[in-house]
């Protein structure tokens, strides 16, 4: 059971963090440099981000649940590391949910207020101004999620150095 839980955790976090890296360093730059207008690129990037958020929320939920189950069977050194992972993943989930259900819908309202294409609206347009503010906030929050995800991956990479988890204490060698 532990092996299945560890594999689920690894797959979930790799999919989420890998998706964030691919989005930030491939999807967004390619869209804005290859498509005919910033509006088209924004539609592709926004749609991709919505889907990435769903991957993150699902994967983060799986990671969180599997880690919590492992935490209950773990010894103290492993529990500390699991607690760090749970805290970081909790931040990732909260920020991703906020972005998905608050920021992105508000940006769509602002896009409509700006006449559909934000980049063609006047600089004084309230929709454009708020859209740009939310866009900056969104970028910063995605960066925070990525940073937390890298932290989780780092802690995951150190798991092989922990004492075995879930084994009876009689399996240990006691030295005088």
């Amino acid at each position: 059971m532990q092996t299945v839980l560890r594999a689920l955790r690894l797959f979930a976090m790799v999919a989420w963090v890998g998706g964030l890296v691919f989005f930030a360093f491939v999807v967004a730059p390619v869209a804005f440099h290859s498509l005919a207008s910033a509006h088209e690129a924004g539609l592709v990037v926004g749609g991709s981000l919505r889907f990435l958020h769903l991957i993150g929320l699902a994967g983060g939920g799986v990671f969180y649940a599997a880690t919590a189950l492992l935490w209950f069977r773990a010894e103290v050194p492993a529990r500390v590391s699991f607690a760090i992972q749970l805290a970081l993943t909790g931040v990732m989930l909260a920020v991703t949910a906020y972005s998905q259900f608050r920021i992105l819908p508000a940006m769509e309202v602002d896009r409509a207020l700006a006449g559909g294409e934000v980049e063609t609206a006047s600089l004084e347009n309230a929709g454009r101004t708020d859209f740009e503010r939310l866009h900056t906030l969104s970028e910063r929050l995605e960066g925070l999620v990525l940073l937390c995800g890298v932290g989780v991956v780092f802690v995951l990479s150190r798991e092989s150095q922990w004492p075995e988890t879930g084994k009876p204490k009689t399996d240990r060698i006691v030295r005088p």
Side-chain angles (χ1 to χ4, degrees), residues 28-47:
V30 168
F32 280 99
H33 288 100
S34 301
L35 296 174
S37 70
H39 176 70
E40 289 176 1
L43 292 175
V44 169
V45 168

Side-chain angles (χ1 to χ4, degrees), residues 94-164:
V95 170
T96 298
Y98 180 73
S99 182
Q100 178 76 357
F101 301 115
R102 292 289 204 174
I103 294 177
L104 293 181
M107 289 175 77
E108 286 306 313
V109 169
D110 290 337
R111 183 186 316 277
L113 289 172
E117 293 190 28
V118 174
E119 66 278 359
T120 61
S122 74
L123 295 174
E124 294 81 28
N125 181 291
R128 179 176 181 162
T129 303
D130 197 52
F131 182 93
E132 289 176 359
R133 178 188 66 81
L134 290 172
H135 182 263
T136 300
L137 177 60
S138 175
E139 288 177 328
R140 289 178 181 163
L141 291 177
E142 292 302 323
L144 174 62
V145 172
L146 179 57
L147 183 64
C148 288
V150 169
V152 172
V153 170
F154 177 76
V155 176
L156 276 170
S157 72
R158 303 201 28 96
E159 281 186 8
S160 63
Q161 299 172 2
W162 301 347
E164 289 296 319

Side-chain angles (χ1 to χ4, degrees), residues 19 22-23 27-28 31 41-55 100 104:
F22 186 75
F23 174 80
V27 174
L43 292 175
V44 169
V45 168
S48 299
L49 187 57
R50 281 180 194 81
F51 193 72
L52 178 59
H53 283 167
L54 295 176
I55 291 170
Q100 178 76 357
L104 293 181

Side-chain angles (χ1 to χ4, degrees), residues 8-82:
L8 281 172
R9 293 170 65 237
L10 186 59
F11 178 73
M13 195 54 62
V14 165
W16 193 359
V17 173
L20 286 167
V21 170
F22 186 75
F23 174 80
F25 296 104
V26 177
V27 174
V30 168
F32 280 99
H33 288 100
S34 301
L35 296 174
S37 70
H39 176 70
E40 289 176 1
L43 292 175
V44 169
V45 168
S48 299
L49 187 57
R50 281 180 194 81
F51 193 72
L52 178 59
H53 283 167
L54 295 176
I55 291 170
L57 292 170
V62 166
F63 183 89
Y64 204 91
T67 302
L69 289 171
L70 289 171
W71 184 87
F72 285 112
R73 293 187 46 126
E75 295 176 13
V76 172
R79 279 189 172 193
V80 171
S81 294
F82 285 143

